[in-house]
Amino acid sequence: MCVSSKVNVGNLYQKFCEKAAKDLLILPATRLQDFVSGLHKDGQRWVPILDPPIHIQPGYTPYDTGLAQDVFIKDITGQPYVGELWPGAVHFPDFMNPAAVSWWQSQIQGLYSQAPLDGIWLDMNEASNFCGGDVCEAAGYVPPANDYICRLTCQWGPMTNSSMNNGGTAQVPPGIFDPPYRINNGNSQANLSDKAIAVTAQHYDGTLEYNAHNLYGTYQAKATAEALQAIRNKRPFVLSRSSFVGSGAYTAHWTGDSASTWQDLRWQINAVLQPGLVGISFAGADICGFQNIATAELCARWIAMAAWQPYARDHHAQSFQELYRWPKVAEVSRKVLEWRMRALPYLYTAAYDSYMRGCPIARPVWFSFPSDASTLDLKEQWIVGDALLIAPIVHKGMTSKEVYFPAGVWYSLYDYSSIDATNGSRNATVRANVTDNTPVYIMGGSILPFGQGGMTTTAAEKSNLTLIVALADAASTAAVERCNGACPVHEGAVLSACGHMYLDQGEELGTGTGADNFVFFSALTTADTGNASSGKLLIQVGGNSSQAVPASSVIVNPEPSSVTIHWLNEPLICGQNITVLWSS
């Protein structure tokens, strides 16, 4: 873990990393327990990294029990397939095998009993392999290494044989040994078995890896999520590098080894949006890039963008490029991450909508405006949830960009200034210096729940609630594409808006089963004499009765076409409605 750039969580971790870099020190269990206890005391969580392969080392419990329970993928000679990764020579668990799933849970249980983890980060689970070959073997002990060099003896083809594997070859179609498809990783046009488990390897039921390779990460994520739920009796958190259609039911996803380049910065927009379209909605990229070295400007623009992607994490391979290492990056990070933490009630609601209805958390603009053909070519802006348009600057040396605004009225998140496109879509120039907040706009006709933020999600969920009411022409808001459906129609309304919020305790099972998990918002204004208007906000908490609200509990700041409502320490009671009136 120490070779990557992680969040600095204190002197204990820093000293451990410095020592580990010199002699590969293994953290003693007691110090690990103290480390995790300290995180939990501060409202933080611990998600360790875990790779699938098991080190071939007699006396190592996962290896010994794995052999005894016959849980490893087999090569064409019928013996456990041998590959190489960070630990040295390894076998690969066969997560299609029910016995392997049970064995995997027992291994996680052993780790959890030493230090109670809060989730698991799955890496190298394509599954990666430093070697290539239909049958490989190790001449003695193969030590750990991170130089990607294969130290095994490997053979290719149907005639492979070795004294260690007792001869014999499984009957597989001849074309499998050299399939016509190629991997173009690094422009190498390599065999499908190169740097991976051989396509001739077999799973417990006879399925060839050729037919199951893309599912390896999904099966591992499923086994891991089920193990965590059984062990913790809580909603599991899993983060996986490898994913496939269906993975989103079990795991979040990050886009892997991006480079610290402007091109990769822009590529990460589509790389994050695309998984959401196939149900892997909680996705993100390594902020500032994983490989190479970022500049301050690149890193600043990357965090400004990534703060508004579903999963946001700074992670790096070759050195240290945490966000605090450049003054300008630190400055913009504090701004954008504060807004991310304030937006958690809204983002959490978007995650629930994704879970229940399949709408991605982060969506291409065309997803929200399918009848607008001009949205099809937009590559550098997107929608988060039902109502936020994100338009980061992602080109070197630029401080402004043209942004496409679909038909409607759009409000800046930061000062509520508006861009009026009610008569039809339009382009407008937005500006942001390197240390400025990301350009973010609220779609008119929306009500957004925001909190007051905090340094952790634990702190943020205890903060007061702010409702941002972005009013729009009442005749248009009912027709806007929303994951939760159209706004209600209010007779006599001039302007209107609607929204909703999902709340729970964050980890309990049975998501969304209680009526008190849902809050619905609806607002409207009606015209009075002269330039005056009256407004009404209805907050529905699971029912239809009335709840009195002390005047000191609500602060209403009306603007010509937007309203900010601050909710101060007053509980929302399930089954009761709240009505807030104002005039201007």
Side-chain angles (χ1 to χ4, degrees):
M1 292 179 66
C2 296
V3 297
S4 298
S5 179
K6 304 294 190 296
V7 175
N8 189 341
V9 292
N11 290 334
L12 173 62
Y13 181 79
Q14 182 178 358
K15 292 178 180 178
F16 162 60
C17 286
E18 291 172 352
K19 178 66 173 174
K22 296 179 180 179
D23 59 7
L24 298 177
L25 173 71
I26 298 176
L27 190 65
T30 55
R31 291 185 64 196
L32 180 59
Q33 291 164 0
D34 292 342
F35 169 71
V36 176
S37 295
L39 291 178
H40 289 165
K41 186 180 297 183
D42 291 335
Q44 297 172 287
R45 293 179 173 86
W46 180 52
V47 180
I49 190 170
L50 190 62
D51 294 352
I54 301 300
H55 193 193
I56 299 175
Q57 184 177 0
Y60 177 47
T61 300
Y63 171 73
D64 293 339
T65 57
L67 281 182
Q69 296 177 40
D70 194 22
V71 303
F72 299 125
I73 291 175
K74 302 294 198 304
D75 64 24
I76 56 175
T77 70
Q79 300 300 310
Y81 182 85
V82 180
E84 184 180 351
L85 212 63
W86 316 116
V90 296
H91 293 321
F92 294 87
D94 180 0
F95 293 105
M96 295 176 67
N97 185 345
V101 173
S102 300
W103 166 85
W104 187 248
Q105 179 176 323
S106 69
Q107 305 311 306
I108 295 175
Q109 177 68 69
L111 175 60
Y112 186 84
S113 65
Q114 296 182 62
L117 49 84
D118 300 289
I120 291 179
W121 162 19
L122 302 175
D123 195 13
M124 309 298 284
N125 59 339
E126 288 73 25
S128 293
N129 183 4
F130 291 169
C131 299
D134 295 299
V135 175
C136 297
E137 62 184 39
Y141 177 74
V142 178
N146 62 355
D147 53 13
Y148 302 94
I149 297 174
C150 179
R151 294 169 173 80
L152 306 179
T153 300
C154 298
Q155 301 179 54
W156 296 86
M159 302 309 294
T160 55
N161 197 346
S162 75
S163 58
M164 293 184 64
N165 286 316
N166 301 318
T169 301
Q171 296 300 310
V172 298
I176 292 297
F177 290 95
D178 188 21
Y181 312 103
R182 291 290 182 265
I183 302 171
N184 200 34
N185 185 25
N187 296 317
S188 64
Q189 287 290 318
N191 187 293
L192 284 177
S193 297
D194 188 61
K195 303 297 184 182
I197 299 173
V199 295
T200 56
Q202 294 189 345
H203 293 268
Y204 86 107
D205 62 353
T207 299
L208 292 178
E209 179 68 4
Y210 179 84
N211 295 315
H213 172 82
N214 287 347
L215 297 174
Y216 190 87
T218 299
Y219 272 101
Q220 188 198 20
K222 181 176 185 292
T224 304
E226 292 173 349
L228 287 175
Q229 181 168 319
I231 293 167
R232 301 176 70 243
N233 196 33
K234 294 179 180 179
R235 196 182 311 164
F237 174 74
V238 179
L239 173 67
S240 176
R241 190 169 78 176
S242 178
S243 62
F244 196 67
V245 176
S247 296
Y250 310 106
T251 181
H253 170 70
W254 93 100
T255 59
D257 295 356
S258 59
S260 298
T261 66
W262 288 94
Q263 184 181 50
D264 269 26
L265 167 64
R266 293 186 289 273
W267 277 350
Q268 296 312 307
I269 297 175
N270 282 339
V272 170
L273 296 180
Q274 287 172 350
L277 298 175
V278 293
I280 310 172
S281 199
F282 195 16
D286 288 339
I287 295 172
C288 300
F290 180 72
Q291 297 174 335
N292 307 329
I293 306 298
T295 64
E297 181 189 5
L298 174 63
C299 197
R301 291 305 192 190
W302 205 310
I303 179 58
M305 176 189 78
W308 293 102
Q309 292 181 323
Y311 176 70
R313 179 189 64 165
D314 182 356
H315 178 49
H316 193 249
Q318 294 169 288
S319 66
F320 296 93
Q321 56 183 36
E322 294 95 337
L323 302 173
Y324 60 78
R325 290 182 176 267
W326 296 278
K328 289 185 177 181
V329 178
E331 182 178 351
V332 70
S333 298
R334 284 190 290 268
K335 293 177 181 178
V336 297
L337 292 176
E338 178 185 0
W339 276 103
R340 179 182 176 86
M341 297 302 286
R342 290 178 64 180
L344 282 181
Y346 175 80
L347 296 174
Y348 200 64
T349 299
Y352 175 77
D353 288 344
S354 177
Y355 168 75
M356 288 297 294
R357 299 177 178 88
C359 303
I361 300 171
R363 311 164 189 178
V365 181
W366 56 258
F367 189 95
S368 296
F369 296 89
S371 61
D372 185 347
S374 296
T375 63
L376 296 176
D377 292 330
L378 298 178
K379 298 179 181 179
E380 297 178 5
Q381 59 187 84
W382 66 92
I383 303 288
V384 169
D386 279 339
L388 287 182
L389 175 66
I390 316 299
I393 292 177
V394 290
H395 290 268
K396 182 179 180 180
M398 294 182 62
T399 58
S400 65
K401 67 183 292 185
E402 288 293 302
V403 175
Y404 182 81
F405 290 90
V409 60
W410 298 86
Y411 300 93
S412 167
L413 176 63
Y414 312 112
D415 61 11
Y416 309 133
S417 60
S418 64
I419 293 178
D420 190 354
T422 52
N423 294 325
S425 58
R426 55 171 289 193
N427 290 301
T429 300
V430 303
R431 292 177 171 80
N433 293 322
V434 171
T435 57
D436 288 343
N437 270 307
T438 312
V440 176
Y441 288 83
I442 306 167
M443 182 174 66
S446 306
I447 301 177
L448 282 65
F450 270 50
Q452 300 304 307
M455 294 298 291
T456 65
T457 55
T458 304
E461 68 182 359
K462 298 176 182 178
S463 68
N464 294 325
L465 184 67
T466 294
L467 298 183
I468 303 174
V469 183
L471 296 166
D473 190 321
S476 65
T477 55
V480 171
E481 295 282 346
R482 301 174 188 271
C483 188
N484 197 49
C487 286
V489 177
H490 298 288
E491 185 176 352
V494 176
L495 302 172
S496 66
C498 71
H500 65 291
M501 178 172 61
Y502 172 78
L503 296 168
D504 61 23
Q505 300 303 310
E507 292 186 305
E508 73 271 27
L509 302 175
T511 304
T513 56
D516 56 345
N517 292 132
F518 305 95
V519 186
F520 300 93
F521 313 114
S522 182
L524 62 94
T525 66
T526 56
D528 294 329
T529 59
N531 294 323
S533 65
S534 298
K536 179 171 71 173
L537 170 72
L538 176 65
I539 303 175
Q540 182 180 346
V541 192
N544 296 307
S545 59
S546 177
Q547 177 181 349
V549 182
S552 60
S553 298
V554 178
I555 300 175
V556 180
N557 300 324
E559 298 291 340
S561 56
S562 65
V563 179
T564 306
I565 298 175
H566 302 278
W567 201 260
L568 304 177
N569 298 316
E570 188 67 25
L572 299 176
I573 301 174
C574 180
Q576 296 186 340
N577 289 351
I578 302 166
T579 301
V580 179
L581 303 176
W582 72 87
S583 61
S584 61

